[in-house]
Amino acid sequence: MEKTPVRYHVLHETTYDYGSPVSLSQQQLHLSPRILAWQQIEEQHIAVTPSPTWRRDGQDAFGNPVTWIAFHAPHDSLRISSAMRVAVTPHLPENLESSLPWEKVRDRLAYDASDPRPADLDATRFLFESAHVRIKHELADYAADCFPPGRPVLLGAEALMAKIFKEFKFDPEATTVSTPVMEVLEKKRGVCQDFAHLMIACLRALGLSARYVSGYLLTRPPPGKPRLIGADASHAWVSVYAPDFDNDWVDFDPTNNLLPDTEHITVAFGRDFGDISPLRGIILGGGGAEPEVAVTVTPLDEEELLPALSGAIAAAERPER
């Protein structure tokens, strides 16, 4: 039976109003979604105001779409709008218990003198410490009860996801983008980025490969209430390497204790948040301004909302006078 995709409009707007003029700026944007076996991009547009002096589109080291921009003229504000239309086909994995025992996966990823399988070699990029992910014995200890001897690797990952969901509290005030993962483990509070980093750190501490996934999650308004334009946010979850199972990688969302399907829209994946943050770069001047970010994810079958979203997209794409 053919699976019917769910289609979305997504609008991601970032605005900087600088406290003082910026004379020089270089930025890297991860705002364009990946093309995947279950995700097709029907339309994508990134608008930048003021117009950059230089712009180039390409791919980063992980194969994610990326846009580089630079400004060589003074400016006191910056507005970046990413508008896209995406189709996501149902892709929930079945029979997680048929994945390899976790120790076998660990051993395949460990170094030895034999020629590595290409997929295993590629997965080792997501095996080691990175800027936001530490590898400590405390993390392996925390995850140990989820990975008893012989347990299939994906059942272990599912158990770890459920454990984090049960024992940690979602608290936007508890952490910042730079909060260390060991502090998150101690406080047992954080946001989706923290829970993704924690789960990745636990898996890597056990010798398993796991990558950080960024994207969007459809959020549903209260019954009888309209969806608010700009009320959504970027989301983060985890992908676990499971060789010889499906596409070799399976996604887990520890913030919501579920396996991502049609309500998750994938933008990029990397070792951690630092590899694929939506917007990062350097500026000269600016007075330390913080960005205002608004994200709207709207299913295309909600026809009554499309005029409002279309108006927002059109406004985002009109150059300022």
Side-chain angles (χ1 to χ4, degrees):
M1 182 177 178
E2 186 175 352
K3 297 179 179 179
T4 302
V6 180
R7 299 170 65 237
Y8 297 98
H9 272 308
V10 181
L11 179 64
H12 185 146
E13 298 179 290
T14 304
T15 304
Y16 283 91
D17 287 316
Y18 299 117
S20 60
V22 171
S23 58
L24 178 68
S25 173
Q26 296 182 352
Q27 305 290 339
Q28 175 177 275
L29 316 179
H30 279 102
L31 293 171
S32 301
R34 286 187 74 111
I35 296 175
L36 301 166
W38 61 88
Q39 178 173 284
Q40 297 301 311
I41 316 308
E42 299 179 351
E43 184 179 349
Q44 165 69 26
H45 179 78
I46 296 178
V48 182
T49 305
S51 296
T53 308
W54 174 85
R55 172 174 174 166
R56 184 166 71 88
D57 298 303
Q59 290 187 342
D60 66 11
F62 303 102
N64 302 304
V66 63
T67 298
W68 295 274
I69 56 176
F71 301 87
H72 299 159
H75 54 286
D76 54 17
S77 65
L78 176 62
R79 183 180 185 182
I80 300 175
S81 299
S82 174
M84 66 192 76
R85 185 180 291 114
V86 182
V88 184
T89 302
H91 57 282
L92 274 179
E94 299 178 354
N95 303 320
L96 300 185
E97 65 275 8
S98 67
S99 58
L100 294 175
W102 74 271
E103 301 99 328
K104 187 169 183 178
V105 177
R106 177 200 61 196
D107 294 344
R108 281 179 58 158
L109 294 168
Y111 174 78
D112 61 32
S114 62
D115 290 335
R117 300 172 180 87
D120 293 347
L121 183 61
D122 182 73
T124 59
R125 294 188 294 171
F126 307 99
L127 182 62
F128 305 108
E129 278 197 352
S130 54
H132 294 278
V133 175
R134 302 300 306 275
I135 296 180
K136 297 287 188 180
H137 67 82
E138 293 93 341
L139 296 161
D141 292 344
Y142 179 77
D145 62 335
C146 301
F147 290 87
R151 172 170 280 184
V153 63
L154 293 180
L155 289 185
E158 186 178 46
L160 178 59
M161 172 182 71
K163 183 177 183 178
I164 293 172
F165 177 78
K166 178 181 179 181
E167 297 184 1
F168 286 70
K169 180 178 177 59
F170 188 88
D171 182 356
E173 305 300 321
T175 58
T176 69
V177 67
S178 59
T179 300
V181 69
M182 298 305 294
E183 184 176 329
V184 175
L185 178 64
E186 178 183 356
K187 291 183 174 180
K188 290 187 165 47
R189 291 174 175 268
V191 295
C192 59
Q193 174 184 295
D194 301 305
F195 303 152
H197 282 152
L198 174 67
M199 184 171 174
I200 291 168
C202 290
L203 291 164
R204 292 182 188 171
L206 292 172
L208 302 172
S209 285
R211 60 194 185 193
Y212 182 98
V213 187
S214 71
Y216 307 108
L217 173 65
L218 176 66
T219 56
R220 300 192 177 278
K225 299 293 185 180
R227 190 178 307 282
L228 300 177
I229 302 299
D232 299 307
S234 297
H235 192 49
W237 58 97
V238 177
S239 194
V240 180
Y241 183 57
D244 305 328
F245 183 92
D246 200 20
N247 292 314
D248 288 339
W249 292 89
V250 176
D251 289 0
F252 295 85
D253 183 347
T255 304
N256 297 290
N257 192 29
L258 54 80
L259 275 67
D261 194 23
T262 57
E263 295 189 351
H264 288 67
I265 300 166
T266 302
V267 172
F269 56 70
R271 295 167 302 174
D272 58 34
F273 171 79
D275 285 335
I276 53 174
S277 57
L279 177 65
R280 67 178 300 180
I282 56 172
I283 63 173
L284 184 60
E290 292 294 325
E292 294 183 7
V293 180
V295 176
T296 305
V297 180
T298 306
L300 279 173
D301 59 3
E302 297 185 6
E303 296 180 353
E304 72 279 6
L305 294 177
L306 292 183
L309 183 62
S310 297
I313 293 175
E317 296 180 355
R318 279 198 301 268
E320 294 184 359
R321 298 184 181 274

